[in-house]
């Protein structure tokens, strides 16, 4: 009975540690994935085109196909 309890606690601890590690990686991944806003001048200097989108304001359409919001 005691062995079963120790194994259960070890499994619970490992599960919580794994979830914490996954949460930390997920949080770091969102920070890296989000792109910063750029200005109109930076957009045109990078070869992009400033366009207006309904209900979204102005965005910069870059030559590689990505779009970033204009500040």
């Amino acid at each position: 009975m005691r062995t079963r309890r120790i194994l259960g606690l070890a499994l619970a601890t490992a599960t919580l540690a794994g979830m914490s590690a996954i949460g930390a990686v997920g949080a770091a991944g969102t920070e890296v994935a989000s792109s910063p806003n750029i200005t109109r001048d930076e957009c045109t200097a990078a070869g992009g085109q400033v366009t207006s989108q309904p209900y979204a304001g102005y965005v910069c359409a870059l030559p590689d196909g990505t779009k970033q919001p204009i500040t």
Side-chain angles (χ1 to χ4, degrees), residues 37-61:
N37 295 350
I38 61 173
T39 64
R40 291 176 182 262
D41 294 333
E42 292 172 339
C43 177
T44 54
Q49 183 177 2
V50 177
T51 58
S52 175
Q53 291 188 338
Y55 307 106
Y58 292 96
V59 295
C60 175

Side-chain angles (χ1 to χ4, degrees), residues 2-51:
R2 182 179 169 140
T3 305
R4 201 183 260 176
R5 183 183 301 173
I6 291 172
L7 287 175
L9 288 174
L11 180 61
T13 303
T15 302
L16 288 175
M19 293 175 85
S20 296
I22 290 171
V25 169
T30 25
E31 292 176 9
V32 172
S34 64
S35 60
N37 295 350
I38 61 173
T39 64
R40 291 176 182 262
D41 294 333
E42 292 172 339
C43 177
T44 54
Q49 183 177 2
V50 177
T51 58

